[in-house]
Amino acid sequence: MSNYPVDMSARPEVTPFFDPATNTISYVVKDPNSKSCAVVDSVMDIDYAAGRITYEHADEIIAYVQEKGLEVEWLIETHVHADHLSAAPYIQEKCGGKLGIGRNITIVQETFGKVFNEGTEFQRDGSQFDRLFDDGDTYEIGGLHCFAMHTPGHTPACMTHVIGDAAFVGDTLFMPDGGSARADFPGGDAGTLYDSIQKVLALPAEMRLFMCHDYGPNGRDIQWETTVAAEKDENIHVGGGKSREEFVEMRTKRDAQLDMPRLILPSLQVNMRGGKMPPKDKDGRQFLKLPVNAL
């Protein structure tokens, strides 16, 4: 861990916002010594059957930010989500801040630009975002020093964002009784995911870990916060010193039995654009595509 500037003395204030429609947890992460904050993994609401976009979840975050008088400096996407649509541009319009994601967004854009038959007007260079993070890149939220760790495997662009004693792991890990992310999307790899998880588990034992999703396994209440120590000891997929070979075998068999996420097709089209909808046609209408037998 000597390559990463870990600072366990800084304790950001973390406020979660749970979206039951997608089992996503978004976060407002505040510098305890100023009004500066970041928004991590926001959600835009979609009624897929009706083709209707709304912003109830994002409006809840915006109302909280405004009520507390906070200043949004960053809108962080831990990866290109396949199960919900990002509301980052909507929140950015209302509250400001810079939009950041891992540099390998360009790989995702190239892959799914082909899947969705996007034309040459769709930029595949990550220019829809304000900042593309490389492994070890640093940034600030007020007086908080933050850094990004490249943790691919679920997708090529996955990053874990470490802010003081808190790490936002995206889909790389779930709560200990939930295990780990799938690795069968284009660009995913189970062995790479195992290696990334080991990077997260090499953080200090008392580091707080915040999940992007929770599904309440075995009927328990929804949870989103744990620690490195708890994951190392108890995670059902990697805890207790499970080997890379054991993990890859388990993950490969498990992924082969999983259905595609319900919102994967609209999510990828929007999220690879930084949360923006596809451009309007000559009549001012917007459409999301349904590629047949493409995944």
Side-chain angles (χ1 to χ4, degrees), residues 273-295:
R273 291 180 162 87
K276 296 182 175 68
M277 296 292 292
K280 296 178 180 180
D281 69 5
K282 60 183 178 62
D283 297 317
R285 300 173 300 176
Q286 290 177 301
F287 296 89
L288 292 167
K289 298 176 181 177
L290 178 66
V292 177
N293 296 331
L295 294 179

Side-chain angles (χ1 to χ4, degrees), residues 32-55:
N33 298 313
S34 74
K35 292 291 188 179
S36 298
C37 73
V39 176
V40 179
D41 290 336
S42 61
V43 175
M44 179 167 63
D45 304 293
I46 181 171
D47 182 339
Y48 196 18
R52 184 173 297 113
I53 296 291
T54 54
Y55 298 96

Side-chain angles (χ1 to χ4, degrees), residues 56-71:
E56 289 89 349
H57 186 269
D59 284 337
E60 184 181 356
I61 293 175
I62 291 167
Y64 176 84
V65 166
Q66 293 176 342
E67 176 189 346
K68 300 294 184 180
L70 304 183
E71 300 173 3

